[in-house]
Amino acid sequence: MSTNNSQISKNDQSNFQELQTLRTLRASLTSVDIFTKQVLQDLEIMTRNYEAISVICERWKNGLEKKDQDKSECNNGESIKQNK
């Protein structure tokens, strides 16, 4: 009987160790899942921020180009007056 008890005890110990390993694996996978979801959320936020910055930069660029164009037209007008 002691052999049976010893074998059962070894099986229980083996099962317990496997259960602990599976719990550790599940905790690790849960952490990876949470981490990847956070990375995805960060990427979505970065995308929205980039789009907002692009819109602002485009407005500034257009404003500066218009200002340069107006300045160029103004300078052209002065040179035409001077030529007359």
Side-chain angles (χ1 to χ4, degrees):
M1 255 207 189
S2 68
T3 307
N4 282 343
N5 287 341
S6 172
Q7 195 172 16
I8 290 172
S9 178
K10 286 182 183 179
N11 283 341
D12 286 345
Q13 186 177 2
S14 176
N15 288 341
F16 180 76
Q17 190 172 11
E18 185 177 356
L19 180 62
Q20 289 300 101
T21 302
L22 290 173
R23 284 179 178 161
T24 303
L25 177 61
R26 182 174 186 202
S28 296
L29 291 174
T30 300
S31 295
V32 169
D33 181 52
I34 292 168
F35 176 76
T36 55
K37 286 177 182 176
Q38 291 297 319
V39 168
L40 176 63
Q41 183 180 11
D42 287 349
L43 289 171
E44 290 169 347
I45 291 169
M46 279 179 18
T47 301
R48 286 194 305 268
N49 288 343
Y50 175 79
E51 290 168 352
I53 290 169
S54 293
V55 169
I56 292 168
C57 288
E58 192 64 31
R59 271 192 255 143
W60 276 85
K61 180 182 168 190
N62 291 339
L64 291 172
E65 286 174 352
K66 185 175 181 335
K67 187 176 180 180
D68 286 344
Q69 185 181 11
D70 291 347
K71 194 177 201 181
S72 176
E73 287 173 2
C74 182
N75 289 339
N76 286 342
E78 288 178 10
S79 60
I80 291 172
K81 288 179 186 176
Q82 289 175 357
N83 289 338
K84 287 185 178 181

